[in-house]
Amino acid sequence: MNYLKRVRTVTHWEFSRFFKPKNELIGIVVMLVVFTSFYYGGRYAVSGTNRLDDITVTEHADTTLLGMLSDNFDITIIPVSEKQRFIDNLEEEKNGILLDQAKEVLHIYAYKETRAIGKLEARLNDYHSQREMQRIGLHPEQLATILSPAAVIKSYVFAEDRNKRVVLAYFFAGLMIMAVFLSFAYQFTAITGEKQLKITEQIVSAISPQIWMDGKIYGITLTGISSMLTYSVISVIGVMLFFQFSGTPIAIVFAYIHLPSIILYLPFALMGILIWNAILAAIASIITDPNNSGKSSLMMLPVVFVLVSFMIIRDPDAGLSVFLSWFPLTSATSMPIR
């Protein structure tokens, strides 16, 4: 049996060992069920946030202020004589918000800081701005004109659909991080686990160490690529279901799928995962006991190089971006993103 045939046999064995189509299919179904549950659960949880918050206001509050608050709050007006009793009950009841207006000062009484108080402060700021504009004789239309942005027309020689490309770039980087983590787990299990079980000697007695290691690297690389493709399908289906549930046209998904970028990304991803699997295999081969070895932390090193590639998105033409796109350990992620 020649070298290529032996390596192909080991590669197929390692790939079949870790990549189980049935398990991947179950994973897709579970992820879709979880996504659907979270979507509907989130909608149910958020459905109650649109109701009006309760607030108590003393009777001498400005009618303009009451009118502005009525859009966001269910207002209860109490006489000034009830103010102290309300404040005294806050510690015991731990609920309720009291707004007291004394000339220019607006006083809020509550048991603790809440989301409703933040919303109340925003409305009070609007009320204050409106009063100040009336005091100096400035109409809202005049203020809107002053605060309006400059009329600027942008014309570029290279017009790119930046927002959609940035989303695709983050998606590429996320897939690479996932592939590196999977390679880390598989290499750790495949090599270190076999050394602990004392079966390494039996394996190398049947085939050469070079064939064994090459087959492992190729097989686990194919496993990482297969997992990337599986999770890509999950992501696309999940986004399409989200748009379907939310009423957004599904066709918008295809606006983010730039085929030339995907075709460029695949060979870079394949070579990048292959390089990192070779490095991880070398590190795993020198670990005898993963429970007491400081060398196992080196297997997290690829994640650092992948995370550095996120800097490309900020300025793809910077000197650092050019360097990262050509440096072998970061090129697999940085070049497609750039």
Side-chain angles (χ1 to χ4, degrees):
M1 186 182 296
N2 58 26
Y3 170 80
L4 292 178
K5 189 173 182 179
R6 290 180 178 180
V7 170
R8 187 167 62 249
T9 301
V10 178
T11 299
H12 180 268
W13 182 79
E14 290 288 348
F15 178 74
S16 303
R17 177 185 176 188
F18 291 109
F19 187 81
K20 307 293 184 182
K22 180 180 178 180
N23 293 341
E24 294 293 327
L25 181 60
I26 293 174
I28 292 176
V29 174
V30 170
M31 288 294 293
L32 292 179
V33 171
V34 170
F35 171 81
T36 304
S37 301
F38 269 97
Y39 175 80
Y40 282 110
R43 288 191 61 179
Y44 176 77
V46 175
S47 61
T49 59
N50 294 326
R51 67 177 182 84
L52 299 179
D53 294 301
D54 296 326
I55 184 174
T56 304
V57 182
T58 52
E59 60 183 351
H60 54 251
D62 186 7
T63 55
T64 303
L65 174 60
L66 294 177
M68 295 181 66
L69 295 178
S70 61
D71 294 334
N72 303 98
F73 296 93
D74 188 3
I75 302 173
T76 301
I77 300 177
I78 62 172
V80 180
S81 58
E82 296 290 327
K83 171 184 171 181
Q84 191 58 46
R85 186 179 65 83
F86 185 96
I87 297 173
D88 295 338
N89 290 337
L90 283 176
E91 184 174 356
E92 180 180 349
E93 298 180 0
K94 298 181 176 58
N95 190 23
I97 301 174
L98 174 65
L99 175 63
D100 180 46
Q101 184 179 21
K103 296 183 179 179
E104 300 295 327
V105 180
L106 297 164
H107 201 147
I108 299 175
Y109 299 90
Y111 180 76
K112 64 178 181 179
E113 185 80 20
T114 62
R115 177 192 58 82
I117 292 179
K119 187 166 62 173
L120 174 60
E121 287 183 295
R123 299 304 296 159
L124 294 179
N125 289 334
D126 294 339
Y127 168 73
H128 174 72
S129 299
Q130 182 174 321
R131 288 191 60 182
E132 288 300 310
M133 285 191 295
Q134 292 175 351
R135 186 176 63 82
I136 63 177
L138 182 66
H139 295 288
E141 293 80 7
Q142 295 173 318
L143 179 64
T145 302
I146 295 173
L147 298 179
S148 62
V152 178
I153 300 176
K154 301 178 182 179
S155 299
Y156 299 108
V157 175
F158 176 64
E160 58 175 345
D161 197 350
R162 177 174 175 80
N163 292 333
K164 294 183 177 63
R165 296 295 176 267
V166 167
V167 172
L168 193 61
Y170 276 118
F171 183 69
F172 284 164
L175 287 178
M176 183 60 75
I177 291 175
M178 182 199 67
V180 169
F181 269 113
L182 289 174
S183 299
F184 160 72
Y186 293 149
Q187 292 285 8
F188 203 77
T189 301
I191 298 178
T192 309
E194 289 171 0
K195 291 176 66 177
Q196 284 187 298
L197 295 175
K198 307 298 183 182
I199 62 174
T200 302
E201 293 80 1
Q202 301 177 27
I203 296 175
V204 298
S205 64
I207 57 176
S208 69
Q210 185 67 55
I211 293 175
W212 180 49
M213 291 300 294
D214 290 348
K216 280 186 176 297
I217 292 171
Y218 293 140
I220 295 177
T221 297
L222 289 178
T223 304
I225 291 290
S226 300
S227 298
M228 288 175 58
L229 296 176
T230 300
Y231 283 97
S232 298
V233 172
I234 293 176
S235 300
V236 172
I237 294 176
V239 172
M240 293 177 70
L241 286 176
F242 173 78
F243 286 155
Q244 181 69 26
F245 292 151
S246 60
T248 307
I250 297 179
I252 197 173
V253 177
F254 298 100
Y256 290 86
I257 299 177
H258 188 241
L259 190 59
S261 298
I262 296 174
I263 295 174
L264 173 68
Y265 171 71
L266 289 177
F268 272 95
L270 177 61
M271 293 303 299
I273 297 173
L274 189 62
I275 290 173
W276 280 116
N277 269 294
I279 295 174
L280 291 170
I283 296 173
S285 65
I286 62 176
I287 297 176
T288 54
D289 185 359
N291 298 318
N292 300 308
S293 177
K295 302 182 184 69
S296 58
S297 60
L298 295 175
M299 301 189 77
M300 300 299 294
L301 190 62
V303 179
V304 177
F305 286 92
V306 175
L307 291 177
V308 169
S309 301
F310 281 96
M311 301 176 64
I312 298 287
I313 297 175
R314 185 173 61 180
D315 188 358
D317 296 320
L320 178 61
S321 300
V322 175
F323 170 77
L324 292 176
S325 63
W326 285 101
F327 184 61
L329 298 183
T330 57
S331 178
T333 307
S334 299
M335 185 67 83
I337 290 177
R338 180 168 175 243

